Amino acid sequence: MPIALYRIDDRLIHGQVVVGWGQPLEMRFIVLVDDDVAASEWEQELYRMGVPPEMTVHFSTVEDAAANLARFESHGEPGIVLVGDIPTMQRLVAGAGGRIRTVNVGGVHHVPGRSGRLRYVYLTPEEEQGLRDIAAQGVDVTAQDVPSARPVPLDELLASTVGV
Amino acid sequence: MSDQDHHQDRGPADNPGSDSGRSVVDTDAADPAVRAIVAGHGAFAAGIISAVEQITGRGAVFLPISNAGLCLDDIQGTLAQALDKTGARVIFTDLPAGSCTMAVRRMIRERPGVLLVTGANLSLLLDFAMQDDVEPALAVQSALDRGKASMAVYGA
């Protein structure tokens, strides 16, 4: 079974992921791909506490996740692959050998230097190029915070503006 | 400005629908019907429903009612009108002894099948919101279990 969602979300595991997407898609596992979290037992315990008992969390470096995508896809139940930023997703897509067909931009929030595109997506010029690079590899990139929201295509996302 | 400041709560009325035909997954993007009323002090109901909306996009399953400025009879009348208008069979309130709770308890004596849940919290409402096709009584019980289980203490 393919991974149901490849998501970029700087909050990693939080309500929108666990409840907003997790419940309607009946997610049974999350692959949290982050080199720092994969090296920190304390961070992992923190995120484990944020998921309900019916869901398991796997922590992985980008390199290991790219190598193990086939195994996650053969899990038999729906799962989500979660990264915290665009460069991480770029690395994952590059290492995945074409396995990743869609990427969901779910939350890239404001920090200085980023411009508002949607109320939950703020991007630097480098991050915009990063998303274009991901799309150039044949990946359908859309922004969508929750399942009931309209998925915003990449071109529309990059042409949008919201105030800071 | 923090990222929280950029999150403008979407009320149930402007829940975005899907109009592009493109989706990461197949989802039902239609606005759901009101399935429950949330009643409480001040802006409790509107606030907690905005949180449901932010997390799930399903805030529209709840109708908020505040007791602000209302006497007991007015609260009871407002709630009765809301039940009749929406067809909802469930009412969530904040405090077990709050005025909304007391009004609902009086009102539902004459309304068999209407369920009152007091002490509502966000986990409880989220779970209820996600149960589209479940009988109200079953959905309430599941949500209640989830809401109770969400309360925990960490640290010394």
Side-chain angles (χ1 to χ4, degrees), chain B residues 94-156:
Chain B
D94 51 2
L95 278 180
S99 59
C100 288
T101 302
M102 304 307 282
V104 174
R105 291 188 66 184
R106 291 174 190 277
M107 182 183 64
I108 64 176
R109 284 193 307 172
E110 311 298 329
R111 291 173 180 261
V114 174
L115 300 169
L116 164 64
V117 183
T118 67
N121 63 26
L122 182 55
S123 293
L124 185 157
L125 296 183
L126 287 172
D127 192 86
F128 184 86
M130 302 307 291
Q131 301 184 66
D132 289 329
D133 303 319
V134 182
E135 284 295 312
L138 294 175
V140 161
Q141 190 56 56
S142 163
L144 191 61
D145 292 343
R146 184 80 76 173
K148 287 178 178 175
S150 72
M151 301 185 72
V153 176
Y154 299 105

Side-chain angles (χ1 to χ4, degrees), chain A residues 8-80:
Chain A
I8 302 168
D9 191 326
D10 54 21
R11 299 179 183 181
L12 292 173
I13 290 174
H14 67 117
Q16 283 182 352
V17 170
V18 172
V19 180
W21 290 93
Q23 288 198 16
L25 296 181
E26 299 183 337
M27 299 282 194
R28 288 297 173 264
F29 69 96
I30 295 172
V31 184
L32 195 162
V33 182
D34 187 288
D35 289 350
D36 291 336
V37 176
S40 169
E41 286 291 334
W42 186 87
E43 288 277 347
Q44 292 175 26
E45 183 57 26
L46 185 65
Y47 286 115
R48 273 194 199 95
M49 289 193 305
V51 302
E54 66 270 18
M55 215 179 273
T56 56
V57 188
H58 306 275
F59 298 97
S60 181
T61 63
V62 174
E63 188 178 353
D64 287 346
N68 289 312
L69 278 184
R71 183 168 64 84
F72 290 125
E73 287 176 346
S74 64
H75 186 279
E77 292 182 298
I80 176 173

